[in-house]
């Protein structure tokens, strides 16, 4: 049985647009290779991927439950963490089931519309995760550089607006991806050399002009990642400047410890993502199976590690988890 992600009710307009037969362009089914060149060992690769997916599900559901049920955690840092956990749940659930079906059950076929919907969810929610990381960097900056005004600047209304802005940015910027792909003509090349429907992997199969698709993809990547990394860099530059001015060594250590977990999450998210993006365009000498494997891990490792990193580094969450699972 082929496992495919279940789109939410909010994706119904997108499904109708992609399924509109009046466009007059055939809708072929695609075939996902999995990990090219490692077909004989793919079932072994699926085992650690399954563990990562399970960790992501359990960890992020636990984070959301703890923050939702504990009023003392309804603070900016934890509310942004709950947003990150919710995004990670959608991101992994739109990717991992089909990837595991391909690797374990050889369910290579994926419908044209389902492929485009999966691609939309993957890229849209990756953009949203990047936006939440920026918001968390802003929260750390205000908490360390303007601690007396933290609750005034980042009150619940502002946090809500930030959440809506992150959501709308992801939806508005990434909706054109599947719509522009719908314009392309796919001849006989319908085999995607990937484990999931990644934008550039699908674009490369088109036998019609895909200049607009490539240009828009590059523009979105530079706009989202470029601006977000710049904003995070500025935030942590100001944080570092403020921390170095603190005279007490213990206060410095506490500030660095507070930001340490966030920096780890940022590196784990952006480094593999940038590697995959650059490999598509410039990494012609990178083995294809290495590229696909890292691109797959990029969507599973951060969602699996985020709850562990924050659970270990954040005392309030760690104590709440121990309280929930502690049995006398």
């Amino acid at each position: 049985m082929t496992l495919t992600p279940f789109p939410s009710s909010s994706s119904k307009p997108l499904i109708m647009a992609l399924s509109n037969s009046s466009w007059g362009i055939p809708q072929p089914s695609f075939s996902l290779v999995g990990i090219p060149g490692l077909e004989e060992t793919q079932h072994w690769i699926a085992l650690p991927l399954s563990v990562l997916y399970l960790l992501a599900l359990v960890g992020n559901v636990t984070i959301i439950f703890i923050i939702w049920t504990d009023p003392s955690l309804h603070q900016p840092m934890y509310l942004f963490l709950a947003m990150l956990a919710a995004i990670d749940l959608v991101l992994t659930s739109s990717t991992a089931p089909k990837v595991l079906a391909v690797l374990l059950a050889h369910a290579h076929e994926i419908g044209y519309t389902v492929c485009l919907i999966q691609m939309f969810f993957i890229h849209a929610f990756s953009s949203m995760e990047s936006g939440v990381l920026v918001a968390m960097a802003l929260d750390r900056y205000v908490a360390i550089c303007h601690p007396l005004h933290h609750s005034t600047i980042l009150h619940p209304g502002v946090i809500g607006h930030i959440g809506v802005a992150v959501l709308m940015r992801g939806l508005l910027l990434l909706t054109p991806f599947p719509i522009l792909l719908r314009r392309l003509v796919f001849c006989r090349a319908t085999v995607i050399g990937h484990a999931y429907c990644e934008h550039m992997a699908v674009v490369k199969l088109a036998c019609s002009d895909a200049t607009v698709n490539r240009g828009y993809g590059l523009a979105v990547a530079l706009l989202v990642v470029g601006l977000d990394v710049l904003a995070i860099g500025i935030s942590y530059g100001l944080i570092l400047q403020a921390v170095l001015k603190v005279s007490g060594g213990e206060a410095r250590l506490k500030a660095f410890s507070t930001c340490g977990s966030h920096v780890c999450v940022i590196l784990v998210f952006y480094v593999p993502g940038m590697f995959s993006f650059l490999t598509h365009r410039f990494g012609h000498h990178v083995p294809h199976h290495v590229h696909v494997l890292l691109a797959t891990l990029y969507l599973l490792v951060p969602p699996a590690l985020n709850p562990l990193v924050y659970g270990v580094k954040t005392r309030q969450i760690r104590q709440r988890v121990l309280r929930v699972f502690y049995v006398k």
Side-chain angles (χ1 to χ4, degrees):
M1 181 177 67
T2 302
L3 302 178
T4 55
F6 293 95
S8 65
S9 59
S10 62
S11 65
K12 289 182 179 179
L14 177 64
I15 299 174
M16 294 175 64
L18 297 176
S19 303
N20 191 351
S21 59
S22 64
W23 290 42
I25 300 175
Q27 298 182 357
S29 293
F30 291 113
S31 179
L32 295 166
V33 172
I35 312 295
L38 300 177
E39 287 83 0
E40 298 299 323
T41 58
Q42 285 188 151
H43 57 286
W44 294 111
I45 297 174
L47 294 179
L49 296 182
S50 301
V51 173
L52 288 174
Y53 182 43
L54 182 62
L55 286 174
L57 289 179
V58 174
N60 287 294
V61 168
T62 302
I63 290 291
I64 293 173
F65 173 77
I66 287 174
I67 295 175
W68 182 272
T69 57
D70 192 341
S72 67
L73 298 180
H74 293 178
Q75 303 172 29
M77 174 182 175
Y78 304 110
L79 294 177
F80 288 135
L81 179 56
M83 292 182 195
L84 187 68
I87 290 169
D88 281 340
L89 282 175
V90 176
L91 192 59
T92 54
S93 296
S94 61
T95 309
K98 183 59 184 178
V99 170
L100 295 176
V102 171
L103 301 183
L104 290 173
H106 304 290
H108 298 284
E109 186 176 355
I110 184 170
Y112 180 83
T113 301
V114 174
C115 179
L116 298 190
I117 292 172
Q118 184 192 51
M119 181 191 66
F120 168 77
F121 270 80
I122 289 171
H123 292 290
F125 280 83
S126 293
S127 169
M128 293 178 200
E129 178 151 351
S130 181
V132 172
L133 290 177
V134 173
M136 295 175 78
L138 173 65
D139 171 63
R140 291 300 86 207
Y141 163 72
V142 175
I144 292 175
C145 299
H146 304 282
L148 299 179
H149 303 286
H150 185 233
S151 59
T152 304
I153 297 174
L154 290 176
H155 57 80
V158 171
I159 296 172
H161 285 111
I162 291 175
V164 171
V166 167
L167 176 66
M168 293 306 298
R169 186 187 72 163
L171 295 178
L172 293 177
L173 285 180
L174 277 304
T175 295
F177 268 27
I179 294 176
L180 289 173
L181 273 172
R182 190 65 179 79
R183 297 169 54 251
L184 299 181
V185 177
F186 297 91
C187 302
R188 295 182 179 180
T190 57
V191 178
I192 302 174
H194 217 291
Y196 56 86
C197 288
E198 197 270 342
H199 178 249
M200 284 303 300
V202 177
V203 168
K204 289 179 178 179
L205 298 180
C207 54
S208 56
D209 184 23
T211 303
V212 174
N213 300 74
R214 295 175 185 272
Y216 187 73
L218 179 62
V220 169
L222 293 177
L223 180 64
V224 172
V225 178
L227 292 181
D228 288 358
V229 170
L230 178 63
I232 291 172
I234 292 174
S235 297
Y236 276 97
L238 295 173
I239 289 172
L240 181 61
Q241 185 180 27
V243 169
L244 292 177
K245 292 180 180 179
V246 177
S247 56
E250 185 177 346
R252 285 187 185 182
L253 183 61
K254 183 178 179 180
F256 280 124
S257 177
T258 302
C259 297
S261 57
H262 188 205
V263 172
C264 291
V265 170
I266 290 171
L267 293 175
V268 170
F269 178 75
Y270 283 110
V271 172
M274 289 303 298
F275 173 83
S276 178
F277 172 78
L278 294 174
T279 300
H280 262 305
R281 288 161 174 82
F282 310 109
H284 304 295
H285 300 293
V286 177
H288 193 42
H289 66 274
V290 174
H291 176 203
V292 173
L293 187 57
L294 287 178
T296 305
L297 291 174
Y298 157 68
L299 297 178
L300 292 177
V301 171
L305 288 185
N306 288 350
L308 295 176
V309 170
Y310 284 109
V312 171
K313 294 291 293 183
T314 308
R315 179 176 55 83
Q316 292 89 334
I317 292 180
R318 184 172 63 250
Q319 291 177 345
R320 188 72 173 84
V321 171
L322 293 175
R323 201 183 313 158
V324 169
F325 293 102
Y326 178 70
V327 179
K328 294 184 179 181

